[in-house]
Amino acid sequence: MSGKLFVIGFGPGSFEHITKRAREALQESDVIIGYSTYVDLIRGLLTNQQIVSTGMTEEVTRAREAVRQAEEEGKKVAVISSGDSGVYGMAGLVYEVLVEKGWTEATGVPIEIVPGISAINSCGAILGAPIMHDACTISLSDHLTPWELIAKRIDAAGMADFVIALYNPRSGRRTRQIVEAQRILLQYRSPDTPVGIVKSAYRERETVVVTTLAQMLEHDIGMLTTVIIGNTSTFVYDGKMITPRGYQRKYTLSADEQPLKPHQRLRVENEPWSLEASEESSLASAPAAPAAATSTAVLEAPPVTEVEAPKAPFAWAMEALTAINAAKGIETKPVAGQVHRPVSTFTPEMIFECAISPGVANKKITPLQMMAIAEVAGEKGEIEYTPHHQMILRVPTANPESITSRLRELGLILSPIGDVLQVKACDFCDGEKKDSIPYADELHQKLGGKEMPKELKIGFNGCGMACYGAVQEDIGIVFRKGKFDLFLGAKTVGRNAHSGIPVAEGIEKEEIVPLVERIVNRFKKDAFPNERFHKFFQRVGELEGYAWYEPAKAEIENAACGD
């Protein structure tokens, strides 16, 4: 009979949140070993397995017994942990026992670690979305870890602005640790920082409290509780804790907040806290170093018998770096002029962004307008040229009104950017062919800047030459012989790009704006998120009586360069 060890994390305790593999491993096992409370939670999944249950502080005994039965008796033994067995669970202890016995994976008893849902994840799901940014778990139990070390970790996590999940926050005998943790964190975070307290997550006696860092101790906290403390950007909405993905907020004209797209997040100017950004923003990333320094110190630092004045996290980081460099024979130069500040003083940078153009038909920006744009951009702003008859302005400011009012006074048109509608008109031969300009203006006034499932562009040309490429936009409108021609579903990018399908000719002037409005409203209502207009047209097959058909495909030869 061949023995095997399973170390199983069964999640928060409800059957619905136990993984399929965990259930299978329990059924495959001959023996179940675990803390008595945990055994009771999964008893309904067991059949005729032998059960070995012990008290809370007998983890080492359970690990040794599991290894003994698997190695000496050839049994399949399951050691169970709530949450994930590799997060304050039994996985590490079982491996330690095996290492003591000279176990190797090639020759020793097989072992399988079955992952489960840890408390930081299960409680985070109940609370909303508090773990959306960098987070850490800290156990407040000082049975196996000196309190001085735990306190240093809380201090480092507080300064580094981690979302923090506190495990084992308080027991009948350990009551001061949670009080000390609160005291340390209040040095770096506002008393109003959101805190979630979850007891017995997904079990019959589940309780959930959303409170603040200042008031957290007023609530019931025990060994079955997980405490999740937000960072400086965490907020509460409708009883849910929410931590934004990033610190920077972008304001545009259509909404208070515009999320960065993936390709925008990677730009240095959109990450002022990154290593590649300016020296000022690099200060914000400095606190991240202490975590590595602290974890290195764990192996070598003896228990502290005399409490010393606490060191700043930067000092710990420099001490660790000096030790590492010394081992390599490298001299560590001191950092001059280093400035430290608590995380609570960090204010998210507000970036206002909008599109600027001199008009729907007008393509000329005056020197006065250009100077004003440059002045409001300043040294830290950004002006981006685009091929869409617009410039994009991005300015760090918490007061967008001061910018928009000045630019509008100079006659500039400001529009939101992103997944919105834009009317791209020609210059109507510098205004000489002006008969259709009122219709382009009306489309802009009624539809310009309107939020869409995906960016949507209406091309508008004032004569049959269509020299500004209206037929190559999502919706193309060409004024010809006193009436309008309509093109739908151009594929605007790619080597197989093509013009729109010519769906109608000779549309009366008074009909064109209402017709386009109906088409746009249908797209807004029925399109999938991020679905381009040409794909939408193909999928629905018909818009306002105009049928989609496959445009002629050009034969595309492979490029000589191999691309």
Side-chain angles (χ1 to χ4, degrees):
M1 183 176 181
S2 177
K4 182 176 180 178
L5 283 166
F6 296 104
V7 188
I8 301 171
F10 61 79
S14 61
F15 290 175
E16 294 84 356
H17 296 92
I18 299 177
T19 66
K20 179 174 180 289
R21 180 55 190 146
R23 289 170 177 263
E24 292 172 348
L26 288 171
Q27 293 301 315
E28 292 175 28
S29 301
D30 304 307
V31 182
I32 307 295
I33 297 180
Y35 171 45
S36 54
T37 299
Y38 297 162
V39 172
D40 290 340
L41 286 172
I42 64 161
R43 197 176 292 274
L45 297 176
L46 305 181
T47 51
N48 58 350
Q49 292 93 337
Q50 177 189 348
I51 296 175
V52 178
S53 61
T54 62
M56 180 177 287
T57 59
E58 300 179 42
E59 293 88 352
V60 176
T61 301
R62 293 198 291 272
R64 292 188 184 281
E65 179 63 15
V67 172
R68 186 193 68 79
Q69 292 207 31
E71 287 188 337
E72 297 178 12
E73 300 183 20
K75 294 180 179 179
K76 293 182 179 180
V77 182
V79 182
I80 61 172
S81 294
S82 67
D84 182 89
S85 63
V87 182
Y88 308 118
M90 291 295 296
L93 276 174
V94 172
Y95 269 118
E96 287 183 58
V97 172
L98 289 171
V99 170
E100 284 180 357
K101 298 171 72 67
W103 172 92
T104 65
E105 191 167 24
T107 60
V109 62
I111 180 171
E112 179 181 348
I113 309 297
V114 181
I117 302 172
S118 186
I120 188 174
N121 303 114
S122 58
C123 295
I126 291 171
L127 291 168
I131 319 293
M132 288 299 296
H133 210 278
D134 297 338
C136 67
T137 61
I138 300 176
S139 172
L140 295 191
S141 174
D142 54 1
H143 290 311
L144 300 175
T145 306
W147 172 252
E148 290 80 5
L149 182 56
I150 297 172
K152 289 173 184 175
R153 291 173 176 171
I154 297 170
D155 187 87
M159 176 167 278
D161 203 28
F162 280 100
V163 174
I164 303 170
L166 297 179
Y167 284 55
N168 309 312
R170 183 156 58 190
S171 67
R173 295 180 180 179
R174 290 185 301 100
T175 58
R176 289 183 56 251
Q177 287 82 349
I178 187 69
V179 178
E180 282 296 296
Q182 181 200 45
R183 181 190 63 78
I184 294 170
L185 292 174
L186 281 171
Q187 299 176 55
Y188 303 107
R189 303 194 188 174
S190 164
D192 295 326
T193 300
V195 172
I197 301 172
V198 182
K199 183 177 181 180
S200 300
Y202 294 105
R203 301 179 193 173
E204 288 183 3
R205 297 183 179 180
E206 172 188 290
T207 62
V208 181
V209 173
V210 175
T211 182
T212 64
L213 185 57
Q215 298 175 332
M216 60 183 279
L217 299 183
E218 299 174 10
H219 302 277
D220 182 29
I221 296 176
M223 281 299 290
L224 299 178
T225 305
T226 302
V227 179
I228 296 183
I229 301 167
N231 67 13
T232 55
S233 67
T234 304
F235 63 94
V236 175
Y237 178 80
D238 196 22
K240 297 297 184 182
M241 284 178 63
I242 301 168
T243 300
R245 281 290 297 273
Y247 286 91
Q248 190 182 63
R249 302 184 71 197
K250 281 206 166 186
Y251 285 87
T252 185
L253 294 178
S254 62
D256 254 358
E257 183 173 346
Q258 177 172 327
L260 289 171
K261 295 180 180 179
H263 70 279
Q264 294 171 323
R265 292 194 191 103
L266 299 179
R267 296 177 182 170
V268 173
E269 63 269 22
N270 287 337
E271 297 177 328
W273 47 82
S274 66
L275 185 62
E276 291 79 6
S278 65
E279 292 181 354
E280 292 180 0
S281 61
S282 70
L283 293 175
S285 63
T294 303
S295 61
T296 303
V298 170
L299 299 177
E300 300 180 359
V304 178
T305 56
E306 215 172 286
V307 178
E308 302 174 355
K311 296 181 182 179
F314 180 77
W316 283 105
M318 288 303 299
E319 196 172 297
L321 180 63
T322 301
I324 293 170
N325 286 344
K328 299 179 180 179
I330 303 172
E331 180 183 356
T332 304
K333 296 181 180 180
V335 178
Q338 184 70 32
V339 180
H340 304 285
R341 59 179 178 172
V343 172
S344 58
T345 64
F346 175 70
T347 302
E349 184 177 24
M350 309 300 180
I351 303 294
F352 170 69
E353 57 181 7
C354 69
I356 302 175
S357 69
V360 177
N362 180 22
K363 308 302 174 190
K364 297 177 181 178
I365 298 179
T366 68
L368 184 62
Q369 290 171 332
M370 186 65 78
M371 286 189 292
I373 294 171
E375 287 173 7
V376 298
E379 293 184 0
K380 293 187 176 181
E382 175 184 271
I383 304 170
E384 177 184 345
Y385 168 80
T386 78
H388 304 303
H389 311 173
Q390 296 175 327
M391 292 186 293
I392 305 299
L393 174 68
R394 297 184 181 92
V395 184
T397 180
N399 184 20
E401 178 62 28
S402 63
I403 294 172
T404 58
S405 59
R406 180 179 178 188
L407 297 180
R408 283 180 173 135
E409 285 174 2
L410 295 173
L412 292 167
I413 291 180
L414 307 185
S415 306
I417 65 174
D419 288 331
V420 296
L421 185 146
Q422 181 196 352
V423 177
K424 291 179 59 177
C426 67
D427 66 353
F428 299 87
C429 292
D430 206 14
E432 292 182 8
K433 298 180 179 180
K434 59 185 180 181
D435 291 352
S436 62
I437 292 178
Y439 303 97
D441 286 335
E442 185 178 356
L443 283 170
H444 171 76
Q445 291 167 7
K446 290 186 173 182
L447 300 175
K450 192 172 184 179
E451 188 177 355
M452 294 287 133
K454 182 70 175 176
E455 62 180 2
L456 181 69
K457 291 182 169 53
I458 298 176
F460 195 110
N461 277 146
C463 72
M465 292 292 292
C467 56
Y468 268 67
V471 300
Q472 296 171 336
E473 302 297 345
D474 299 302
I475 299 174
I477 301 171
V478 178
F479 187 68
R480 185 172 61 90
K481 297 181 179 181
K483 296 184 180 181
F484 288 100
D485 298 340
L486 182 63
F487 299 78
L488 297 177
K491 187 176 185 300
T492 59
V493 294
R495 293 185 66 206
N496 59 345
H498 58 75
S499 298
I501 299 170
V503 296
E505 294 182 345
I507 300 172
E508 297 295 336
K509 290 186 286 188
E510 62 273 11
E511 295 176 7
I512 190 63
V513 173
L515 173 61
V516 173
E517 278 190 284
R518 293 194 298 272
I519 292 172
V520 168
N521 289 336
R522 172 84 183 280
F523 175 65
K524 179 177 174 62
K525 176 177 177 290
D526 295 339
F528 299 141
N530 213 37
E531 183 178 28
R532 292 194 177 275
F533 183 79
H534 73 91
K535 291 184 177 180
F536 168 73
F537 188 22
Q538 179 180 359
R539 178 170 64 83
V540 299
E542 176 271 332
L543 287 171
E544 291 298 312
Y546 303 127
W548 177 88
Y549 59 85
E550 186 76 42
K553 292 184 178 179
E555 293 292 330
I556 301 176
E557 295 291 335
N558 289 331
C561 63
D563 284 350

